[in-house]
Amino acid sequence: MSVFARQRQHRTLPVQLTLLLALAANCGTVLAETSSFSFGVIAHVFRSNADETALRSAISETDADNLAFVVANGIKASSEPCTDKLYGQRKALLSSAKNGLIVSLSASDWVTCRTTADRSAAIERLSRIRDLFFSDEFSFGDSKIPLIRQSTSPKFRSYVENARWEIGNVVFATINLPAANNHYLAEGGRNSEFEDRQIANREWLQRVFLNASQKKSDAVVLFCDGDPLATQRHRVFDFNVKRDGFTEIRQRINSHAAHFEGKVLVIHGPHGTASPNPANIVWQRNLGDLEVPAGWLKVTVDPASPKLFELGKPADQPTLSRR
């Protein structure tokens, strides 16, 4: 039986699953896997809900499915307090998942945080989130997925939120790219966090794609909050346009995809209000863009299919249209 199929009996044997996954990671190899597997992506449910009801429901629904892992985009709403108490409550909820659950940070988790004096607390709160949510080398949930964090590199020890893991012949990775222009600030002298993270993310992409190329992986899947592939639209001769904070990372992703023999899929949160249309992967050659709508989305990886990725919903809901 496939380790990653996550049949229901695995929930009573989380230790065995963890040991097998850890063994594969420690040996520096990917378990041979030719059958298909599915994973779940929970959209940033806090865009329209300032409580954890939607997240709790999404986790419950993904727990009921046979998934290799789940990635959750965001842990709180912008309108919620950036307190240790709230962070602790969300950590407990994420830890209660049955599937292995990986967090992909959103802008509302840290970028929008303010002090009581109404000053930005983004950097301090990001540091605190890193301590609370990324303290070890495993995912949340009963089925512990071993993760390789960027922090294993001494130069980038702080960037624990950037994590990589492998299932079958696919490399998965999170990368901290918050919505709202990648936390680029127009005010002069206040972009140290943005500039430092640009360097870290550039190095992280290099490591992810180097690993995938060396192992001749079928695909690289990147999870992030903002959409790094979308370009700003503005009127001609409009010189007041804010700098596009995703320009460099977009160029890097496009460059890596152009030199990679497999597929590259970027999965991100919705732009503003979630689209009512079914999810679709928009492909430009081997580079795919997937915006996850409200709720959660099931993605199946089928090595026998030319598409490789198939989109769907839980078995009791209608299948989404595909492109």
Side-chain angles (χ1 to χ4, degrees), residues 137 149-154 156-160 162 204 207:
E137 307 306 311
R149 299 194 184 279
Q150 188 176 15
S151 55
T152 57
S153 174
F156 301 100
R157 196 174 302 278
S158 298
Y159 294 87
V160 289
N162 289 344
W204 181 236
R207 288 175 59 182

Side-chain angles (χ1 to χ4, degrees), residues 3 50 62 64 75 78 116 123 145 158 200 214 235 276 283:
V3 172
T62 55
I75 59 175
S78 297
T116 54
I123 296 176
I145 307 295
S158 298
Q214 289 176 339
R235 296 185 299 273
W283 291 101

Side-chain angles (χ1 to χ4, degrees), residues 24 71 103 290 314 316:
V71 173
V103 171
L290 174 58
D316 60 342

Side-chain angles (χ1 to χ4, degrees), residues 25 30 40 55 75 85 94 106 126 128 197 242 277 294 298:
V30 180
L55 178 60
I75 59 175
K85 179 180 180 181
L94 296 168
S106 72
L126 175 58
R128 185 59 177 151
R197 187 163 40 79
K242 190 175 182 180
N277 299 321
K298 181 176 180 178

Side-chain angles (χ1 to χ4, degrees), residues 35-39 167 170 172 221 299-303 308-310:
S35 60
S36 63
F37 62 91
S38 299
F39 62 90
I167 296 182
V170 178
F172 300 90
V221 180
V299 183
T300 297
V301 180
D302 184 1
L308 188 59
F309 299 101
E310 297 286 344

Side-chain angles (χ1 to χ4, degrees), residues 193-226:
E193 188 284 323
F194 168 82
E195 299 294 346
D196 290 346
R197 187 163 40 79
Q198 286 273 76
I199 295 171
N201 284 340
R202 182 169 64 236
E203 190 272 349
W204 181 236
L205 286 175
Q206 180 70 27
R207 288 175 59 182
V208 168
F209 279 93
L210 178 61
N211 175 268
S213 295
Q214 289 176 339
K215 295 183 176 181
K216 301 185 184 302
S217 300
D218 291 333
V220 169
V221 180
L222 300 174
F223 300 91
C224 50
D225 182 37

Side-chain angles (χ1 to χ4, degrees), residues 119-180:
R119 296 180 178 177
S120 174
I123 296 176
E124 187 276 330
R125 288 290 83 186
L126 175 58
S127 177
R128 185 59 177 151
I129 287 173
R130 286 167 168 167
D131 290 340
L132 289 174
F133 286 83
F134 309 106
S135 59
D136 60 31
E137 307 306 311
F138 292 94
S139 68
F140 293 104
D142 287 349
S143 299
K144 300 296 184 183
I145 307 295
L147 306 171
I148 299 174
R149 299 194 184 279
Q150 188 176 15
S151 55
T152 57
S153 174
K155 186 177 179 180
F156 301 100
R157 196 174 302 278
S158 298
Y159 294 87
V160 289
E161 70 273 21
N162 289 344
R164 171 171 59 87
W165 64 102
E166 301 170 33
I167 296 182
N169 199 33
V170 178
V171 174
F172 300 90
T174 56
I175 182 168
N176 190 353
L177 298 172

Side-chain angles (χ1 to χ4, degrees), residues 3-118:
V3 172
F4 301 108
R6 289 212 73 257
Q7 302 298 329
R8 292 187 182 277
Q9 56 262 47
H10 284 156
R11 293 176 185 168
T12 62
L13 299 172
V15 175
Q16 289 90 330
L17 178 60
T18 299
L19 290 175
L20 285 171
L21 288 167
L23 178 61
N26 291 336
C27 293
T29 60
V30 180
L31 294 181
E33 182 66 71
T34 57
S35 60
S36 63
F37 62 91
S38 299
F39 62 90
V41 185
I42 299 176
H44 188 29
V45 295
F46 298 104
R47 291 178 184 269
S48 58
N49 296 278
D51 62 64
E52 63 183 35
T53 303
L55 178 60
R56 186 178 297 276
S57 176
I59 291 176
S60 177
E61 290 179 15
T62 55
D63 282 346
D65 210 326
N66 293 324
L67 302 173
F69 64 87
V70 176
V71 173
N73 176 212
I75 59 175
K76 63 176 287 292
S78 297
S79 58
E80 291 182 296
C82 300
T83 60
D84 286 3
K85 179 180 180 181
L86 181 69
Y87 288 152
Q89 291 172 347
R90 294 295 150 79
K91 181 179 179 180
L93 175 57
L94 296 168
S95 298
S96 70
K98 302 300 181 182
N99 295 297
L101 191 151
I102 298 99
V103 171
S104 175
L105 290 180
S106 72
S108 63
D109 298 336
W110 61 281
V111 170
T112 57
C113 294
R114 311 291 295 180
T115 67
T116 54
D118 198 32

